[in-house]
Amino acid sequence: MSAEVPATEQAEPAPERAVQHAFVLKEGDTYFVMDGHGDVGGGVDGLFHDDTRMLSTFVLRLGGARPPLLSSGVSHDNVFFIANLTNRPLPVLGSTSMPQGVIHLERKRFLWGARLFERIRLVNYGDQPAQAPLTLQFGADFRDMFEVRGQRRARRGEIGPPEVGAQGVVLRYQGLDTVTRLACIDFSEAPQRLDAGTAEFAVPLAARGHWTLYLEVGTAPARPGAQRFREAGVLARWRMRQRQRRGSRLHASGRLFQAWLDRSRADLALLTTDLPTGPYPYAGIPWFSTPFGRDAIVTAFQTLWIDPRLAQGVLEFLAARQAHQTSSFRDAEPGKIMHETRKGEMAAVDELPFGQYYGGVDTTPLFVALAGAYARRTGDRATIDRIWPALGAACEWMERNMARHPDGLLAYQRGEASGLVNQGWKDSHDSIFHADGRTPEGPIALVEVQGYAYAAFLAMSAMAEWRGDAGASRWRQRAAAMRLAVESRFWLDDLGFYALAIDGANQPCRVRASNAGHLLFAGLPSAERAQAVGRQLLSSAFASGWGVRTLPAEAVRFNPMSYHNGSVWPHDAALCAAGLARYGERDGVVRILDNLFESAAHFGMRLPELFCGFDREPGQSPVAYPVACLPQAWAAGSVFMLLQACLGLQVDGIRREVKIVQPRLPADIDQLHVQRLQVGHARVDLHFQRLEERIVVVAQTAPGTPGVQVNLQL
């Protein structure tokens, strides 16, 4: 029997706002979304753990009113949220009232060990004592993330009776999965009044006096206090710094550009969770704070040159969760690589297939391609040997899938209505279409997926040859056959471009889309066709002035405010730029990087998951997409892929070689220093310097370290 959250004293409703105006914290499988006051009052806000909202209301009032906000923000390392507030007029003991702006109220919070830690501090800067009535309203709706996103359920579990103690409250929910979920709210001192939804403190503040309250929210009771707060805070900051210090360091001469690099690095550290299999970048907050296959693989590609450890963690995790059985509900077949995993109640009881879902046609070839890139980058035979059976099974799945297609293409069609209609990176229901607007019937073969398969077969061939295994020539032949199929079936002579897809009737979707840029990233097209595609991607049809749009305005479903049909996705633009660089285009890559840098400057140096694809106009800013994830891993990682494409830099860990071809620097950046670039067991520093029209590169290795060959082609 379903049950609703019991009625409590209602908090003042939070004003409507877009996701990009939220403040977020994350640690492991716990994250917090809040407003600038630190309050949780509705919408997507809340404290979430394992895809369940543990706090749906969390509102502070001083003297019965919302305290005016002075400033708020998250620390540069993404560990602490701090809000500085003040009082409205308050009663003064023995007098009429205390004026506004005399009491400073600070809220400082962080996450550690699946718990929220918060310190509330009041300081009276007046010369009169005051009574400061402080109220905290709280509540837990225990809604699954998919419910928060708008999914309706036929029934829910039951809200249990609250347990109210002297210094804490336990709220509970018995889910349909028979799991009891707890939200335990505990205070360092006993409130004057405490019930299932409100804690009231009558705080006497002497003149120039102060008062501090510690509180914690978690899945088990605790005894908050100053020492616990300090110790947990030190651990949280230490762990975050450890993540940020992995890999190479980048230092640019431009202050704002360096801020973009630092913010992107901090956001990747925030989203990365240290799992038993290694570090893994969760996709994004608030909707996708969980392991996704495609997103993590792309993020690993973006950062492979500076931090190969992330790619290793992604490969190990996905190999361990490869499908071994067939399930139409989960779109699973033996050998497929996971698309998404969830821990919430709705996934546990199979209301949705996303507990461990395999409905991504591109994740499997991308997994193999990443393994090949990781092998070249690091020379790490041990990891490749461990996941070799998974790589073989992935390729076998690709071959079985392709055998069902008349042209030997890799295609998708969902198994049941609960699965995703479209299963490429543009997975919204309307993202794949014909030139006249018709929705194609499946199975659908996407153009970029064929490029991923081509790259996967080449990677498999190279790894097999490296390991001394038979079959290297077979995989090369597979790649060659895929190239012929794509060039013959997808190329549109009249458009000078590749079709978006081939539908189930074996007809091309004659739509120009940014997907073709991913084909360049894979290295499949001939040089002539790659240049033709590149010219169009850099033209005003796709280039909005803020980045590369997913569709040109001519497309029948073009809408710059849509999710996939005309918006700008930073990761998509970065993959297109990497593809252009692969075919020798450098100036266009610099232009894409500069456009996204300018966009980042308007978004507080933090690129969102996507933004609207309106043309750039003088004096205007890029237009935000209101419900985009922020931060998003592959948006944060985009700057590193773009920068690598500009520098023309490749690392071969097997040969201990760094190759730099026709390097460029972003506009207004005269120097870039890459420190401690790992090459095999050695590390090398690279210094890029602009001298008039040339870029000079100086390489240096530490004395006594293994030699590294730096091959410059200026």
Side-chain angles (χ1 to χ4, degrees), residues 87-244:
N87 66 294
R88 299 186 189 278
L90 291 172
V92 176
L93 295 176
S95 183
T96 55
S97 68
M98 171 175 281
Q100 180 166 323
V102 175
I103 294 176
H104 175 229
L105 191 161
E106 181 197 66
R107 305 181 76 178
K108 183 174 185 178
R109 65 169 57 132
F110 62 93
L111 301 175
W112 181 250
R115 302 186 68 81
L116 166 68
F117 290 79
E118 179 158 352
R119 184 186 69 198
I120 299 173
R121 177 177 288 169
L122 297 176
V123 180
N124 178 8
Y125 286 99
D127 55 8
Q128 297 292 325
Q131 189 78 14
L134 188 74
T135 303
L136 275 166
Q137 297 170 253
F138 51 84
D141 62 6
F142 295 101
R143 292 195 177 271
D144 189 283
M145 168 48 70
F146 286 97
E147 290 184 274
V148 177
R149 291 173 61 180
Q151 188 82 24
R152 295 188 177 275
R153 302 180 67 185
R155 63 192 187 98
R156 302 187 77 243
E158 294 186 358
I159 296 290
E163 296 178 18
V164 181
Q167 292 182 219
V169 176
V170 177
L171 306 177
R172 56 169 35 86
Y173 170 75
Q174 178 79 17
L176 299 179
D177 56 357
T178 72
V179 174
T180 299
R181 294 170 171 85
L182 302 180
C184 305
I185 302 103
D186 295 288
F187 304 97
S188 59
E189 67 175 70
Q192 185 182 41
R193 185 175 78 86
L194 179 63
D195 61 27
T198 306
E200 294 181 357
F201 299 86
V203 182
L205 281 175
R208 304 289 170 177
H210 60 84
W211 177 85
T212 303
L213 175 72
Y214 296 91
L215 64 92
E216 295 183 25
V217 183
T219 58
R223 299 185 66 179
Q227 183 174 346
R228 280 176 59 86
F229 186 87
R230 285 195 301 269
E231 291 175 352
V234 168
L235 290 172
R237 174 155 274 174
W238 175 82
R239 179 65 62 85
M240 190 69 79
R241 286 178 176 173
Q242 290 296 108
R243 295 192 196 110
Q244 290 192 39

Side-chain angles (χ1 to χ4, degrees), residues 24 102 107 110 153 160 171 247 253 266 274 277 296 335 360 409 425 449 462 512 554 616 627 630 657 675:
V24 300
V102 175
R107 305 181 76 178
F110 62 93
R153 302 180 67 185
L171 306 177
S253 57
D274 293 312
T277 47
L409 301 176
W425 84 262
V449 172
R512 294 192 301 163
E554 75 200 30
R616 184 170 182 170
V627 293
L630 192 69
E657 178 186 42
Q675 285 184 312

Side-chain angles (χ1 to χ4, degrees), residues 10 82 171-172 176 226 263 266 277 335 341 384 414 431 468 474 513 605 629 644 650 708:
Q10 294 299 305
I82 301 175
L171 306 177
R172 56 169 35 86
L176 299 179
R263 185 62 179 266
T277 47
T341 182
I384 298 303
R414 65 178 175 179
S431 60
R474 174 189 168 207
M605 310 317 299
C629 281
Q644 182 185 18
Q650 295 293 331
V708 175

Side-chain angles (χ1 to χ4, degrees), residues 44 82 104 150 154 192 250 256 276 302 389-391 399 417 427 441 443 451 453 480 493 501 660 709:
V44 302
I82 301 175
H104 175 229
Q192 185 182 41
L250 303 176
L256 280 179
Q302 292 170 334
L391 294 170
E399 289 184 303
D427 56 6
E441 296 295 324
D493 274 320
I660 302 170
Q709 181 180 353

Side-chain angles (χ1 to χ4, degrees), residues 29-87:
D29 289 306
T30 307
Y31 66 95
F32 203 142
V33 183
M34 70 205 96
D35 69 12
H37 282 72
D39 287 343
V40 171
V44 302
D45 290 357
L47 175 66
F48 294 83
H49 178 68
D50 285 349
D51 289 320
T52 300
R53 184 156 62 181
M54 312 302 290
L55 274 183
S56 51
T57 300
F58 200 57
V59 175
L60 182 147
R61 296 292 180 260
L62 182 61
R66 196 176 208 204
L69 178 65
L70 301 175
S71 69
S72 61
V74 175
S75 58
H76 290 303
D77 58 7
N78 283 326
V79 175
F80 297 104
F81 168 82
I82 301 175
N84 292 285
L85 309 114
T86 189
N87 66 294

Side-chain angles (χ1 to χ4, degrees), residues 609-672:
E609 175 189 16
L610 73 153
F611 53 93
C612 295
F614 292 105
D615 284 326
R616 184 170 182 170
E617 299 289 345
Q620 294 186 4
S621 302
V623 178
Y625 186 82
V627 293
C629 281
L630 192 69
Q632 179 89 353
W634 63 9
S638 295
V639 61
F640 304 109
M641 178 173 272
L642 288 161
L643 192 56
Q644 182 185 18
C646 284
L647 298 177
L649 187 152
Q650 295 293 331
V651 181
D652 190 327
I654 297 174
R655 295 185 174 89
R656 293 204 302 275
E657 178 186 42
V658 177
K659 187 176 181 181
I660 302 170
V661 181
Q662 298 178 346
R664 299 285 191 276
L665 286 172
D668 302 323
I669 301 299
D670 294 325
Q671 296 182 52
L672 179 75

